[in-house]
Amino acid sequence: MLKLENITAGYEKVPVIQGINIEFEKGKIAAVIGPNGSGKSTMLKAIVNLCEISQGTVYLKGRRKEDMGNREFAKQVSYLSQSHTLGAITVGRMVLHGRFPYLSYPRRYSKEDYAYCKRAMEKVGILPLQDKKLEELSGGQRQKVYLAMALAGETDVFLLDEPTTYLDIHYQLELLQLMKQLKEEGKTVVTVLHDLDYAMDVSDSIAVMNQGKIVKIGTPEEIQESHVIDEVFQVKAQSFTDEAGRKHFYFEK
Ligand code: ADP
């Protein structure tokens, strides 16, 4: 679905990630993990033109990204950033921005656009907040708005950079459910996650990054067995299985 071939990218001509090769499959959740500064966000940014790619190619459904228009690409790939600018704008208007790639002359949102936004706001539980201004919301509520904006695009691929940021524990778990639901709908989800237990739980595959490179790609089981987490994070990964048969991970120094 989405493939990165030998990608080197960074900022102001300084490469941050190097020789990245990875393919994200349709109907699967891929987690990207790694220590702070290892290049996880940069990898997602490279896909959506938010940093400079100096080498390599991004393919979407077998087509080179540079052969597609930005708008066409944006209709298929949405991106939840880690940092956001705050305008004096209402929740409803902000979520409508997720429909931006669909706007054509005379630049008016259609009934369909509004319906998609309503659905997205319902999905993340912020419909009652739609007339509130973003600046009046808590960090967690805002995070849901940005998430709804990404969902409103109804794209095939979702790139989520730390989507659990600011969310309370209840909604963190709901978010994992939401990702699983997107997967059931045949969407491709790529998510940077700090919580390794969540990554192990939700993903079909995990890419481990360190110092700008992908050092391992595998299923959660393969990643656990490889001890790569221990090496990269300098911790000891331990696990136990709960009564429901789910494996949980915790870490010791
Ligand atoms: P991670 O997501 O794994 O924490 P990042 O991709 O955010 O890592 O950062 C990787 C490296 O790129 C860091 O050394 C960081 O300082 C640098 N970096 C990130 N964003 C920028 C930027 N906008 N300009 C210059 N350097 C940046």
Side-chain angles (χ1 to χ4, degrees), residues 39-76:
K40 305 179 295 295
S41 294
T42 303
M43 180 167 80
L44 297 195
K45 285 181 189 167
I47 299 168
V48 290
N49 286 348
L50 290 174
C51 67
E52 301 145 22
I53 295 183
S54 52
Q55 195 186 308
T57 311
V58 175
Y59 294 90
L60 181 66
K61 298 180 184 168
R63 289 179 65 198
R64 291 158 64 98
K65 185 179 170 225
E66 58 253 49
D67 296 340
M68 302 171 70
N70 284 342
R71 177 189 287 249
E72 193 188 345
F73 191 82
K75 279 183 182 173
Q76 301 187 58

Side-chain angles (χ1 to χ4, degrees), residues 11 16 35-42:
Y11 309 90
V16 166
N36 291 333
S38 57
K40 305 179 295 295
S41 294
T42 303

Side-chain angles (χ1 to χ4, degrees), residues 71 75 96 99-110 113:
R71 177 189 287 249
K75 279 183 182 173
L96 266 174
R99 299 298 302 168
F100 191 71
Y102 291 87
L103 264 190
S104 54
Y105 191 78
R107 294 197 160 259
R108 253 188 234 127
Y109 290 106
S110 65
D113 291 322

